[in-house]
Amino acid sequence: MKVLKFGGTSVGSAAAINQVISIIGNSVKKGENPIVVVSAFKGITNLLLEAGSYAAKSSQPENAAYNKIIEIHSEVIRDLIPPKFINSVMIEIIPLFTQLKDLLYGIHLLQEFSPKSSDWLVSFGERLSARIISQALSVNGIEAQYFDSRDVIITDNSFGSAKVDFDKTNKFIWEKLSSNENIQVVTGFISKSESGETTTLGRGGSDYTASIIGAALKVDEIEIWTDVDGFMTADPGLVPGAVPIDSLTYDEAFELTHYGANVVYPPTVKPACHALVPIVIRNTFNPGFLGTVIKESGSTGNINITGVTLLTDLVLLKLEGNEFTDSLGVTGRVYSLLARNKVEVVLASQASAGNSISLCIHSDRALEIKAKIEEELRYELHFGQIKSLGFEQEVSLIAVITENLRNNSTIPGRIFDSLGRNGVDILSIAQGASMLNLSLVVSKTDEVKALNVIHDAFVSDEDRHKDNAEATALCNCGLRYVAMG
Ligand code: ADP
Ligand code: ASP
Ligand code: MG
């Protein structure tokens, strides 16, 4: 059995959905017994959020975003479903359009768009797409059924990014999804709280849905179908020289996704890793290419780094004490304060005999947190035990991730050399204890340059050609699990 997940980029149009149908058809022919997980059509989640915000503020409930949502779905149905089946499809879809309109009216009346109503509103994206795709499969001769993930994925009620109750969820998945005659087309991203409210797993959460289901059923593979040739050495939208990676370990994938490689939603790696189910990233628009497999061992090995990632919208908090500062006490208090306020520290570094700490955090709450640290350390600041609490805005974090950091001492030198030769200043540095990740903070204005020069110091033109040739050869032989290098 396999789980095949298709993201918004793969279900953006009738042509793309036809491609998805052919991939599912091939999987059925090969006897893979797939469970299909789908995202909302491309752009629909954002349009739903726009429609909700508008309804809460304006003098009328319906708006351009709502009209666009109806138009996009109607057009896809028209292009995808033969005329003689349109009515039977619309019987399922029209009630959803009506409920959506009613909900926007409710938001408008209350003039309130809470996280709870937002989750209910965005759930329409996946509910519409899973219904349309299951109908399209059936009219193409692949018997399929709509399956609402809220019937199996149970969470707490932290709306917007709910936490999964794995005991209940695994039990329900086993009961309801382990043996079905028809293909189940499951809504990604959405879930249900203990008390029955609709929740969501966080933006990009359909990948996580696929992993939760695949891990619970211990399937042979979780395939994540998207619009690129796999996990690449960097975001191909920012680094033109990025190449697909043949194979990654779960640990590397975990680091890469947490540090900005948003081809996979970060929590996705864990359930698959615990169940030892491989995750495979593949391109819907290049289905002959084998993509990237993420598994327990066997990093790609043909290049010294696995990937370079970028995290943006960060600030660097810089706390500088003097030699008499009680550095242990101050550090402890700052970390406790951040923990109490649920602030994630994406990089921390501490050096010097006095007390000099740099902390990189997301910019959205930076001002609030700086004020809280000032309040916490007001005594030390007043009496000069802390020289300054500085604040560097508009910084970005570049992470170089590889299992090879453990055994290749030339890697740091090559990184610093490439930045030095290209005039990029490093504002802070840290290397994770896992020896998988070397992170650098640079000014936002340098982020793309830094990403490209570090990447190109490791991935040469020769690697690019070699990768293409080897990948094509492997593809032609139908091989995947071969360590390259
Ligand atoms: P989907 O709609 O299929 O979920 P996403 O937009 O969430 O697709 O993810 C695919 C995108 O992730 C790619 O188009 C690419 O721009 C981006 N991306 C960022 N980092 C990487 C990376 N290291 N490798 C591949 N793609 C990446
Ligand atoms: N539709 C959701 C989003 O846009 C979930 C997903 O695409 O994975 O975030
Ligand atoms: Mg995605």
Side-chain angles (χ1 to χ4, degrees):
M1 188 182 249
K2 278 192 182 180
V3 172
L4 311 186
K5 177 261 169 178
F6 297 91
T9 52
S10 299
V11 291
S13 65
I17 296 173
N18 275 323
Q19 186 68 19
V20 166
I21 292 172
S22 121
I23 292 167
I24 298 171
N26 281 335
S27 170
V28 174
K29 265 192 225 135
K30 284 194 248 161
E32 291 173 351
N33 194 11
I35 293 177
V36 174
V37 174
V38 293
S39 293
F41 292 175
K42 191 176 178 176
I44 292 296
T45 308
N46 287 343
L47 280 171
L48 284 160
L49 290 170
E50 201 181 312
S53 313
Y54 184 91
K57 282 186 234 129
S58 80
S59 57
Q60 57 190 42
E62 289 156 41
N63 51 66
Y66 169 80
N67 293 336
K68 190 108 196 273
I69 292 164
I70 304 299
E71 192 186 304
I72 291 173
H73 288 96
S74 308
E75 193 179 313
V76 169
I77 293 170
R78 216 173 32 243
D79 293 348
L80 196 63
I81 309 284
K84 64 175 175 176
F85 297 112
I86 289 263
N87 279 349
S88 61
V89 174
M90 290 317 280
I91 286 171
E92 279 196 23
I93 300 303
I94 285 173
L96 284 172
F97 286 169
T98 314
Q99 277 177 39
L100 175 57
K101 195 170 175 176
D102 291 348
L103 175 58
L104 289 172
Y105 191 57
I107 291 170
H108 168 69
L109 285 180
L110 291 170
Q111 295 281 289
E112 185 187 284
F113 188 35
S114 65
K116 179 174 165 178
S117 45
S118 168
D119 273 2
W120 175 228
L121 182 71
V122 290
S123 76
F124 279 82
E126 270 67 12
R127 290 194 286 141
L128 281 162
S129 101
R131 280 193 193 278
I132 296 169
I133 293 167
S134 64
Q135 293 270 11
L137 282 164
S138 297
V139 302
N140 278 281
I142 305 168
E143 281 309 320
Q145 256 173 355
Y146 169 84
F147 187 94
D148 197 317
S149 53
R150 292 174 299 177
D151 291 343
V152 289
I153 299 188
I154 309 301
T155 65
D156 66 5
N157 64 358
S158 12
F159 297 103
S161 190
K163 304 283 159 298
V164 176
D165 178 333
F166 278 96
D167 288 340
K168 294 201 174 75
T169 300
N170 288 346
K171 176 174 167 285
F172 289 143
I173 291 174
W174 190 255
E175 282 169 11
K176 298 182 184 172
L177 278 169
S178 59
S179 57
N180 286 290
E181 274 194 7
N182 299 334
I183 308 284
Q184 302 298 302
V185 182
V186 184
T187 52
F189 179 52
I190 63 174
S191 40
K192 192 171 74 180
S193 73
E194 231 20 286
S195 44
E197 300 136 315
T198 294
T199 54
T200 60
L201 301 175
R203 292 304 306 270
S206 299
D207 296 333
Y208 193 29
T209 310
S211 182
I212 294 168
I213 294 173
L217 297 175
K218 293 210 184 317
V219 297
D220 300 315
E221 231 173 53
I222 298 159
E223 291 185 354
I224 296 188
W225 290 83
T226 181
D227 64 345
V228 284
D229 272 342
F231 223 118
M232 304 183 75
T233 44
D235 183 345
L238 298 171
V239 179
V243 294
I245 303 164
D246 180 56
S247 171
L248 284 175
T249 62
Y250 291 118
D251 286 345
E252 285 175 320
F254 188 75
E255 290 286 322
L256 285 160
T257 54
H258 275 86
Y259 280 85
N262 52 17
V263 59
V264 173
Y265 179 52
T268 307
V269 182
K270 266 207 181 145
C273 172
H274 285 152
L276 291 180
V277 175
I279 302 174
V280 185
I281 319 295
R282 299 192 65 178
N283 189 346
T284 302
F285 308 100
N286 186 15
F289 194 81
L290 291 175
T292 304
V293 61
I294 303 171
K295 56 193 170 73
E296 204 186 0
S297 59
S299 175
T300 194
N302 64 328
I303 41 179
N304 288 318
I305 54 151
T306 305
V308 192
T309 60
L310 174 69
L311 268 185
T312 55
D313 300 325
L314 303 172
V315 299
L316 195 61
L317 281 169
K318 295 194 292 191
L319 190 73
E320 206 190 328
N322 66 36
E323 57 199 295
F324 302 114
T325 311
D326 163 20
S327 73
L328 288 179
V330 168
T331 310
R333 278 157 62 202
V334 171
Y335 270 98
S336 312
L337 183 144
L338 293 169
R340 281 198 306 281
N341 286 281
K342 297 194 167 56
V343 173
E344 185 197 2
V345 178
V346 293
L347 172 143
S349 76
Q350 181 168 4
S352 121
N355 188 9
S356 167
I357 314 171
S358 301
L359 297 169
C360 200
I361 63 171
H362 293 280
S363 57
D364 51 352
R365 294 181 58 203
L367 284 174
E368 170 207 338
I369 294 304
K370 181 170 180 264
K372 287 195 163 137
I373 297 178
E374 273 165 358
E375 172 62 18
E376 171 72 34
L377 302 178
R378 62 190 179 284
Y379 175 83
E380 286 81 358
L381 282 163
H382 182 75
F383 290 103
Q385 288 169 357
I386 292 182
K387 277 194 222 155
S388 64
L389 176 60
F391 195 50
E392 191 123 13
Q393 303 208 48
E394 308 228 324
V395 301
S396 306
L397 184 144
I398 311 267
V400 179
I401 289 154
T402 173
E403 298 268 2
N404 292 338
L405 263 182
R406 293 195 183 105
N407 51 30
N408 187 337
S409 54
T410 67
I411 292 176
R414 285 164 78 180
I415 296 170
F416 299 132
D417 181 53
S418 65
L419 292 175
R421 276 190 293 107
N422 287 280
V424 177
D425 292 332
I426 301 169
L427 307 176
S428 192
I429 305 175
Q431 179 166 314
S434 61
M435 296 288 282
L436 266 174
N437 174 331
L438 198 149
S439 293
L440 311 153
V441 179
V442 299
S443 159
K444 182 163 185 57
T445 48
D446 284 334
E447 64 183 24
V448 177
K449 177 157 87 169
L451 197 60
N452 275 278
V453 297
I454 295 176
H455 181 269
D456 291 351
F458 293 95
V459 182
S460 62
D461 279 345
E462 202 185 314
D463 284 321
R464 281 187 266 281
H465 294 130
K466 188 163 151 249
D467 267 354
N468 287 341
E470 290 194 34
T472 312
L474 287 177
C475 219
N476 290 342
C477 306
L479 289 173
R480 175 197 299 291
Y481 296 98
V482 175
M484 290 163 79

